[in-house]
Structures are given as structure tokens and as C-alpha cells.
Amino acid sequence: MDKIDPSEVTPKKLYLSRRQFIGSSSAIIAGAMALAACKGSPPATEATPPPYSGPTEDELGDPLTTYQDITHYNNYYEFSTDKGAVVDLARNFPTSPWSIEVSGLVNNPKTYVIDDLQKFKPEERIYRLRCVEAWSMVIPWIGFPLHRLLDEVQPTQEAKYVKFTSIYDPTDMPMQNSNFLPWPYVEGLRMDEAMHDLTLMVTGMYGGPLPKEDGAPVRLVVPWKYGFKGIKAIVKIELVDTQPVSLWMQSAPDEYGFYANVNPNVDHPRWSQATERRIGEVGRRMTLPFNGYEKEVASLYEGMDLRIYF
Amino acid sequence: MLVDAWRGGLTADPIRGALLRTGKLGLELLVLSLACSPLNNIFGFSPALRVRRALGDYSFLYVCLHFAIFVGLDYGFDFMYLLPELIHPYALVGLIAGLLLIPLAITSFEPWPKRLGKNWKRLHSLVYVINILAGLHFILVVKQGVTGPYLWLILIVFLLVLRLPPIRRFLGRFFSRSE
């Protein structure tokens, strides 16, 4: 072993003061970090994504949004208007037992227990989700086309629209205790929209179950319409002969129409819909007519003035 | 904010997060600067007057940052993308409020107060208008049903009402008597 010259050894006093310096400075840093933590939103909780081996991009070549972002950026006003707060508030929301009543103008009314829906053979569908607030994601849903369920209940000739209703559960959904919106959430589709193969009843995501913050146990996804049409936590589906009044139509009729098709040429009264921010990207991209599903769905709206029917 | 951005604390949409954060800070500082005069006039708390100018200047700093993020980071300085947005009231109101702040920020430093004399005070009462516009700008960007921004505008109007001479005199007398 080499002999160390005493002059090379740091004097004890200096050594101690260095210790002290590290101690005090790390206290300052810790304090600053604590302050920073208090100031903003709480640090994002890490989500554990289920094992996923599906495609990594949509048909246009855009990558999937991360599981973390999809589960930590949610417009779910039943829980909170703060998109980052939903995941924690929804944690104890009971999704089992759960059943969906399908009734109204049908020959074969039925109530499905949530596990019954498996018989409609949910499959993986990668869809773009465009929020009316001008941000978007690419999400690998697992769901089945609504027409499979409708075929079973057999809508009558008089059925012109499908009305969806969310659960009303103010005990577990804190914002339903306030009447700033006319709860429960209601949405609707025209019969041909509901029967379209792109229209999906969703029960899973990223190869796993549907997270509560994303609308578990079952939600609607209509990829060519703004995200708010995708009603979450559905408990009732009714076939009706008049156009349903959705929650957003009722609370702000000049801002939200029944159709709510993604349309870069029809602005929201307060902001433009021409561009959008894709979550995970910096900057903006052009919004596509019908959110990029124009080829599949534009024919449904032939001859309609989409400025009037927004 | 940078620490937050790195830790993901600005949400999954960090540009929107940064816009909200800078915008809110700008508004908060602006409203605080508006509270200084009533604090002095009614409660006789004179130190408030000393920080008033600094509050305004820091507000301007955050408003600049807010604008830079909007035009640069969000829209990538792309005028084709920006134009359809700029015709909307929220953007116009915000832009006007920001532009009006520029002369105030410049003339808040020496030698302007002395050079402008009486006119300096007149010029700086623009801050009343700017506050209203800023409150309006915030209301115009949020969806219906979100109440927070309305509270800010109510607070701004309240602070302006406190300046009306009869109210100021009445409250001033009321509080100095009780002391």
C-alpha cells in the first residue's frame, strides 16, 4: 500500500466544512425542489402500461401517444376540470358490477352485464382522437363496432337516433355534486353514424383493460367527431325517433352542435379549429377534415351544410 | 417552471401548460400591482407603493414569455397557422393588452417618470384598461362552465371600484377611525 504524505491529506477542519457545505447546499436544493413541487401541479404519477405488442403507428404513419399521456391528460368533468387530476380522482370509482340497459325502439330490449360484451368480439383499433380544444392523440383502443350490438337488439323502423347516457354517481364523481353542467352526461348519434363500422364501443386500451380515467368500463369512440362525443362510463343506450339533446348542446348550444364532426373550416366560436397540437409533439399540425376519416364517412353528410350542422 | 417542464409537471401538453402558467403569473402580478394603491389609500400600508412598479415590470416579463411561447413554440412563427387564430376575440384582446403594456414597461424606468411629469400618471392609468382586457382574455379562452377566470375579472373590477373617489374617501375614513 502506498504511503500517503500527511500534506496530501485534507485537514480535518476543511474536510468537515466541506461536509457541512454539501449538507447545507443539499438542504437548499431540497427546499427549492419542495417549493417548486408546491407551486405547480403535483409530480405526475407513473402509470404502468400493460404489455403491448400491437402496431406502433396509425395508418397515416403517426406514432401512438404514450400510455402515460393517455392516462394523465383527461377531459372527464365528472371528476375534475383539471386534466391532470382525473387519474387520481377516478382511482376508487367502482366499475364492477356494471350493466348497460339497451331499450327504446327495439324489438329485443336487453340488459348486458359488462362481461357479456365480450361476445361482440372486441378488437384492436388505432384511432386518432381530436379534442374540440385543438389537441389530439393516437390511441390503440380495444372495442367492437356498435352495429354488432344494435344488430342483436334489432332497432325498429321508427328508430332514427341512438341516445347514450353516462352513470350518475355523485358519491364517486365529485363534480356531479355541482350543477355547473346538467348531469348525467348524454350523447347521441344518428342511426347511420351509429351503424358505421368505425363507431366503436370501447372496453380496453393498449392491449389491456380500459383505464377508469379514460371511461371504464365501457365508452363510445367516434373517431371522425370531436372527443366529447365519446361518452364515458355508459349505463344506458336508447333507440329514439327524435334527435337527442347532448349535455354540451344543452349547456352551450352555440358552441357545441349535435354532429360535432372534426372540421378545420368551421371554427369553434372562441378559437380556430384549423390546427391542432399532437400530444408529444412540439408545435402544430393542420387538422384534417373528419379527422382524416373523410373517405370513410364524408358520404354520410352529402348535401348537408356542415356550417349549420356543426 | 423549467424544473417542472423537465419533471413532466406541465402535463402531457407542456406548451399549453407553459402558456397557462406564464399567462396566469402575468395576470396575478398585474392584479397585485392594481391592489397597491388601495392598500395604501385605505389601509395606509405605504410599502405597497414601493413594489408597485416592480410588480408591473415582472408582469410584463411574463406576458412577453407568454407571447413568445404562443407565437414561437406553439405556432412555430408560422403565419399561415397563426392567422386563423388571431381573428378570434381572445387572441385580439390578449394582443391589445400586451401591446398596451409595452409603453408602460418602457416608461416605468428613469428618466421617463420625471420627463413625462403629469402625463406619466395619465399614461399609466392605462393599466386599468389593460387589467380589464387581461381578465377578459382569460375568460375568452376557457370553456363554458369553468368559473375561475370570472373570479379574476370580478376581483379586477372590485379593485377598480375601490379607486372611485367617493368610495375611496369613505373607506379611508372608516378604516382610519377604527385604528
Side-chain angles (χ1 to χ4, degrees), chain A residues 38-72:
Chain A
C38 295
K39 206 161 160 269
S41 33
T45 45
E46 218 55 51
T48 39
Y52 173 76
S53 55
T56 55
E57 50 187 42
D58 67 4
E59 80 281 9
L60 303 178
D62 288 316
L64 300 184
T65 305
T66 63
Y67 187 84
Q68 172 75 19
D69 283 350
I70 298 171
T71 52
H72 289 76

Side-chain angles (χ1 to χ4, degrees), chain B residues 20-74:
Chain B
L20 270 173
R21 191 75 70 83
T22 49
K24 254 191 164 164
L25 270 165
L27 181 67
E28 282 161 8
L29 290 165
L30 204 61
V31 173
L32 270 178
S33 78
L34 205 60
C36 292
S37 295
L39 273 177
N40 175 58
N41 295 339
I42 297 168
F43 298 104
F45 185 67
S46 62
L49 293 182
R50 259 180 289 150
V51 297
R52 188 170 52 178
R53 205 187 296 176
L55 285 171
D57 287 330
Y58 278 115
S59 167
F60 178 68
L61 202 72
Y62 277 105
V63 170
C64 286
L65 213 61
H66 182 68
F67 182 74
I69 293 168
F70 182 74
V71 174
L73 265 184
D74 197 356

Side-chain angles (χ1 to χ4, degrees), chain B residues 34-46 48-49 158-179:
Chain B
L34 205 60
C36 292
S37 295
L39 273 177
N40 175 58
N41 295 339
I42 297 168
F43 298 104
F45 185 67
S46 62
L49 293 182
F158 172 70
L159 286 172
L160 290 178
V161 166
L162 287 183
R163 288 176 153 72
L164 295 174
I167 290 175
R168 193 176 68 197
R169 253 175 275 136
F170 170 76
L171 286 172
R173 239 175 285 140
F174 181 79
F175 280 102
S176 57
R177 198 182 304 153
S178 62
E179 262 162 26

Side-chain angles (χ1 to χ4, degrees), chain A residues 87-287:
Chain A
V87 62
D88 285 328
L89 289 166
R91 192 151 289 151
N92 295 320
F93 173 60
T95 54
S96 171
W98 194 281
S99 56
I100 307 174
E101 179 198 320
V102 186
S103 58
L105 303 170
V106 292
N107 291 324
N108 192 13
K110 252 186 145 151
T111 295
Y112 294 94
V113 175
I114 193 71
D115 292 336
D116 294 347
L117 298 179
Q118 291 304 313
K119 75 169 171 190
F120 297 117
K121 307 228 160 30
E123 56 196 66
E124 189 158 77
R125 296 271 185 109
I126 295 172
Y127 284 164
R128 291 172 289 285
L129 179 130
R130 169 62 158 78
C131 179
V132 73
E133 297 167 344
W135 54 266
S136 61
M137 293 181 174
V138 180
I139 305 176
W141 300 114
I142 295 173
F144 58 89
L146 176 62
H147 62 72
R148 288 186 195 159
L149 184 148
L150 292 179
D151 284 345
E152 189 171 273
V153 296
Q154 293 171 27
T156 64
Q157 286 295 318
E158 293 79 54
K160 297 281 182 294
Y161 296 92
V162 184
K163 178 184 173 188
F164 304 84
T165 309
S166 283
I167 193 169
Y168 180 69
D169 177 8
T171 325
D172 298 297
M173 294 175 146
M175 294 298 272
Q176 282 188 339
N177 291 300
S178 129
N179 54 5
F180 85 110
L181 287 172
W183 308 114
Y185 207 96
V186 167
E187 262 306 341
L189 292 174
R190 210 170 60 188
M191 206 59 200
D192 55 346
E193 298 175 324
M195 292 300 287
H196 197 283
D197 191 59
L198 283 174
T199 301
L200 211 61
M201 292 292 284
V202 166
T203 54
M205 187 190 83
Y206 254 109
L210 185 63
K212 291 179 179 180
E213 58 275 20
D214 291 298
V218 58
R219 69 170 291 172
L220 180 71
V221 171
V222 192
W224 71 91
K225 293 175 180 284
Y226 292 118
F228 68 83
K229 289 297 283 187
I231 182 171
K232 304 181 180 92
I234 299 168
V235 290
K236 206 197 287 179
I237 299 175
E238 291 162 279
L239 282 286
V240 292
D241 57 2
T242 47
Q243 185 175 294
V245 178
S246 74
L247 172 134
W248 283 111
M249 286 163 75
Q250 199 181 332
S251 81
D254 52 326
E255 299 189 15
Y256 308 102
F258 175 76
Y259 287 96
N261 293 322
V262 175
N263 191 339
N265 302 314
V266 176
D267 284 355
H268 184 276
R270 292 163 185 249
W271 57 80
S272 159
Q273 297 290 21
T275 63
E276 68 198 49
R277 248 187 326 249
R278 178 64 52 85
I279 300 302
E281 284 180 3
V282 175
R284 296 214 161 220
R285 47 164 73 211
M286 298 302 272
T287 288

